[in-house]
Amino acid sequence: MKIISSILVFAISMAMLACSTPKSDFGVYRQSDGTVGVHAPKSGKDTEAQAAAGEECQKLGKRGATIAETRKTVNDRFPMTYIFVCNTY
């Protein structure tokens, strides 16, 4: 009986772990000039970077983000950096 209950607890915990939301691989940061920077991983897309920047802009009380600049980096893990301007439209 003890083995069955421990297997049941293990199965439930694995199911909850599988259903959890994955942590974003994007590095989002605020710059001193009011823009938001996003370090995108290799598998990242422009639209995903904009969504991450939009979430950060909403924390600042803005409604959305518009891309201002794209930079290539020498970092193997984050080869692209996007700079976004937060909008109040």
Side-chain angles (χ1 to χ4, degrees):
M1 190 68 171
K2 188 175 182 181
I3 295 173
I4 293 174
S5 62
S6 62
I7 291 174
L8 183 63
V9 168
F10 177 74
I12 291 172
S13 63
M14 291 305 291
M16 291 178 74
L17 180 64
C19 295
S20 66
T21 305
K23 186 179 176 187
S24 175
D25 290 333
F26 290 88
V28 181
Y29 59 95
R30 297 178 196 168
Q31 294 187 341
S32 61
D33 62 354
T35 59
V36 173
V38 178
H39 293 301
K42 287 181 182 179
S43 62
K45 298 178 184 169
D46 295 347
T47 55
E48 294 172 331
Q50 186 165 10
E55 289 177 15
E56 188 67 26
C57 287
Q58 285 181 351
K59 291 178 187 176
L60 297 171
K62 309 288 183 169
R63 291 185 182 233
T66 304
I67 192 163
E69 187 179 348
T70 303
R71 299 180 195 163
K72 289 190 177 198
T73 65
V74 294
N75 189 338
D76 291 339
R77 195 165 160 219
F78 298 102
M80 293 296 292
T81 297
Y82 300 95
I83 306 297
F84 291 91
V85 176
C86 295
N87 302 329
T88 57
Y89 55 81

